[in-house]
Amino acid sequence: MPTKTLLIPTTDGQADAFAAFPDRAERHPGVLMYADGFGIRPVLREMARQLAGHGYYVLVPNSFYRHGPTPVIELPEYIGEEARPAVFAQLMPLIEAHTAEHVLSDAEAYLRFLTAQPEVGAGPVAVTGYCIGGLYAMRTAAAHPGQVAAVAGFHSPVSADGPERDRLLERITAEIHLGHAETDMTPEALGELNQALDTAGVSYTSEIYPGTLHGFTMSDTDAFNPAALQHHWDRLLPLLDRTLAKS
């Protein structure tokens, strides 16, 4: 599986990124993958490679490049409960500094770069994200309705409740999948979110993955749930197959 480390020109500098794509002399649909708050690390690279193995060019940018290249903060190999307070003390200022304006400016640069790669075919792209990356994915899909055909977020916030969320959803034309952690979303809150999705008129699936903690896809954390990770693939891969035309 070919991989690359790349630099993406943005209005504020250069974002380093990881890319994985099939080892075939063809052009493939593009997928922009936003990492969780912990950023690009071995587990994210492996997930990108696994997705690329199904016929996609996967680009994973360093969302916090304004604060330095990957790794922006030093992470333990396993992010257990004991390590989390110190990690989050470093991480939260980066998340708070990454404003909605930064997300949208970067998204334009990322999509321009992704679709210009020689291994990427013409046509729409997909955007997926984990944790805070899921919010970035939804904002990207809302800002580029003619270009993003599918968007997926896992154990991620969609947006603030109420008018801000509704304005976001009404701009999305992509097909949506949202996989929520049981600890992040009550059934009542899920009902309210799904009603907002219905009102927006989008095509979507939005569900709570049973028995899950926030971060359930990430095998280097205490929240990891292998069955839920597989469920995530069982939802994501058909979504991409439906919405993206392969070579």
Side-chain angles (χ1 to χ4, degrees):
M1 183 67 59
T3 63
K4 294 180 180 178
T5 299
L6 301 163
L7 291 174
I8 304 174
T10 75
T11 57
D12 290 326
Q14 290 186 316
D16 55 296
F18 176 80
F21 48 94
D23 188 15
R24 299 195 298 272
E26 299 173 350
R27 304 179 81 184
H28 308 281
V31 178
L32 175 61
M33 177 186 285
Y34 286 107
D36 62 0
F38 297 133
I40 301 172
R41 58 197 193 283
V43 67
L44 260 297
R45 294 185 181 97
E46 178 53 36
M47 292 176 79
R49 283 192 290 264
Q50 187 167 349
L51 182 54
H54 291 275
Y56 302 100
Y57 184 107
V58 184
L59 181 69
V60 189
N62 168 18
S63 294
F64 306 134
Y65 69 90
R66 292 175 179 83
H67 303 273
T70 302
V72 181
I73 66 171
E74 293 297 327
L75 291 172
E77 289 186 14
Y78 186 81
I79 309 167
E81 278 303 312
E82 292 185 0
R84 291 175 78 87
V87 169
F88 274 97
Q90 299 177 76
L91 187 60
M92 289 311 297
L94 308 187
I95 294 174
E96 291 167 359
H98 196 52
T99 63
E101 291 75 19
H102 283 164
V103 172
L104 295 180
S105 173
D106 290 346
E108 186 170 343
Y110 298 158
L111 291 176
R112 185 187 311 117
F113 184 88
L114 173 62
T115 55
Q117 297 311 294
E119 300 89 355
V120 176
V125 301
V127 187
T128 186
Y130 302 89
C131 184
I132 193 66
L135 176 57
Y136 303 160
M138 293 290 282
R139 286 175 172 167
T140 299
H144 299 272
Q147 190 172 16
V148 178
V151 59
F154 301 93
H155 47 84
S156 60
V158 176
S159 183
D161 292 337
E164 181 184 344
R165 179 195 63 196
D166 296 344
R167 285 194 297 269
L168 178 76
L169 296 179
E170 69 187 12
R171 297 197 303 271
I172 294 177
T173 59
E175 184 175 345
I176 299 169
H177 174 71
L178 299 173
H180 310 285
E182 198 170 70
T183 54
D184 289 343
M185 181 77 71
T186 65
E188 294 75 19
L190 178 67
E192 292 175 6
L193 171 60
N194 290 354
Q195 179 59 53
L197 288 159
D198 288 334
T199 299
V202 296
S203 177
Y204 76 93
T205 54
S206 172
E207 60 183 312
I208 296 171
Y209 287 21
T212 54
L213 303 173
H214 179 77
F216 58 77
T217 59
M218 298 296 153
S219 62
D220 59 354
T221 73
D222 289 340
F224 179 55
N225 183 316
L229 175 63
Q230 183 57 51
H231 189 58
H232 137 282
W233 290 121
D234 292 343
R235 290 290 189 262
L236 179 59
L237 294 174
L239 171 66
L240 301 185
D241 283 343
R242 285 193 301 273
T243 56
L244 301 182
K246 293 186 179 180
S247 301

